């Protein structure tokens, strides 16, 4: 049953992504960013609902009240494709820093342009950080939160990738807080895992980390430590690993 449910979900995920990408791309010509984001959120809700119905995989969010303040840099753990979708539901209107290769995907790239994403070349670290700060400051100035996956790529449960500093540098430069987000989605929907597991993903949204007048390295370290401690609380696989900022 789990295999069949996962196949149905995977098919819906692919087809709905293509359809909604066209809708959002067209909406980019006449709707405000907030309205466009609501369209994307409607798609994300449908995907998470389908995932629950077909695969028995739901989620629970703790700390949603920490998003009540002004625009911020969101540093979210990256271990699955799940958080790239579900985060659209439980996080306020935001855009994403993502690898430029996604801009080469037909149809999807049109929607990404409409959503004002910040594509970067991960091989050019210095230029990538400069792009994040330049374009991220612009988005934040427009009241749009910026989502960054500080480890850069999906990391398996029980592991930590190198924690990037671009998010903290952007936050310090723009004078906005950092909000860390932890979750254990990788235990249910891992990288290249076609068959999803049943269960409840735990999401924990941390309190805003102030950045005014601080060194980006200190902000990075504080965010990484919070994520490490929180991941150890919600995931046994992370209980004994160390932070690598």
């Amino acid at each position: 049953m789990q295999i069949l449910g996962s196949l149905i979900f995977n098919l819906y995920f692919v087809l709905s992504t293509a359809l909604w990408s066209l809708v959002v791309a067209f909406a980019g010509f006449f709707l405000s960013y907030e309205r466009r984001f609501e369209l994307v959120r409607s798609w994300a809700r449908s995907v998470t609902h389908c995932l629950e119905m077909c695969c028995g995989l739901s989620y629970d969010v703790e700390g949603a009240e920490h998003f009540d303040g002004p625009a911020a840099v969101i540093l979210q753990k990256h271990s699955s494709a799940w958080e790239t979708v579900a985060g659209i539901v439980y996080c306020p209107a935001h855009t994403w820093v993502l690898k430029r290769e996604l801009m080469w995907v037909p149809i999807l790239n049109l929607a990404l342009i409409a959503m004002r994403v910040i594509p970067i070349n991960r091989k050019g670290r210095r230029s990538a950080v400069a792009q994040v700060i330049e374009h991220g400051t612009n988005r934040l100035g427009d009241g749009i939160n910026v989502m960054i996956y500080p480890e850069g790529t999906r990391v398996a449960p029980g592991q930590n990738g190198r924690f990037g500093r671009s998010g903290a540098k952007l936050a310090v430069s723009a004078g906005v807080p950092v909000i860390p987000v932890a979750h254990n989605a990788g235990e249910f929907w891992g990288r290249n895992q076609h068959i999803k597991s049943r269960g409840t993903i735990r999401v924990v949204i941390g309190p805003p980390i102030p950045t005014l007048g601080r060194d980006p390295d200190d902000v990075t370290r504080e965010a990484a430590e919070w994520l490490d401690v929180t991941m150890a609380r919600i995931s046994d696989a992370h209980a004994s690993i160390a932070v690598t900022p």
Side-chain angles (χ1 to χ4, degrees), residues 25-175:
F26 180 69
F29 291 105
F30 60 92
L31 290 183
S32 67
Y33 187 85
E34 289 72 20
R35 296 290 297 278
R36 277 176 266 161
F37 191 85
E38 285 306 315
L39 283 175
V40 178
R41 180 171 279 160
S42 296
W43 163 77
R45 284 196 178 108
S46 76
V47 171
T48 55
H49 180 70
C50 181
L51 183 63
E52 184 173 2
M53 294 299 99
C54 294
C55 305
L57 182 55
S58 60
Y59 66 97
D60 179 71
V61 179
E62 172 188 334
E65 69 277 5
H66 293 141
F67 280 133
D68 290 342
V73 174
I74 303 170
L75 297 183
Q76 181 162 227
K77 187 74 178 176
H78 197 20
S79 61
S80 168
W82 177 86
E83 64 271 10
T84 65
V85 177
I88 298 169
V89 180
Y90 58 74
C91 294
H94 59 274
T95 190
W96 305 263
V97 172
L98 44 75
K99 58 184 180 181
R100 66 175 181 176
E101 287 80 1
L102 288 174
M103 303 302 294
W104 303 341
V105 181
I107 303 178
L108 176 62
N109 60 353
L110 301 176
L112 293 177
I113 292 171
M115 296 311 296
R116 301 183 64 184
V117 300
I118 305 171
I120 60 169
N121 178 7
R122 292 185 297 184
K123 294 181 180 179
R125 290 189 177 181
R126 291 187 178 180
S127 61
V129 172
Q131 286 181 309
V132 169
I133 293 175
E134 178 185 356
H135 298 293
T137 300
N138 176 272
R139 308 300 190 268
L140 291 163
D142 289 339
I144 301 171
N145 296 273
V146 176
M147 173 79 74
I148 295 178
Y149 302 104
E151 291 165 307
T153 188
R154 285 173 290 181
V155 178
Q159 299 180 15
N160 271 340
R162 183 171 180 80
F163 207 91
R165 294 168 170 79
S166 61
K169 288 183 177 181
L170 168 60
V172 171
S173 177

Side-chain angles (χ1 to χ4, degrees), residues 164-188:
R165 294 168 170 79
S166 61
K169 288 183 177 181
L170 168 60
V172 171
S173 177
V176 302
V178 161
I179 298 181
V181 179
H183 61 82
N184 62 345
E187 298 177 4
F188 303 90

Side-chain angles (χ1 to χ4, degrees), residues 174-209:
V176 302
V178 161
I179 298 181
V181 179
H183 61 82
N184 62 345
E187 298 177 4
F188 303 90
W189 179 350
R191 187 171 190 170
N192 299 322
Q193 180 181 336
H194 299 295
I195 310 303
K196 282 62 177 175
S197 303
R198 300 179 67 87
T200 302
I201 295 168
R202 297 183 63 186
V203 180
V204 183
I205 300 165
I209 298 174

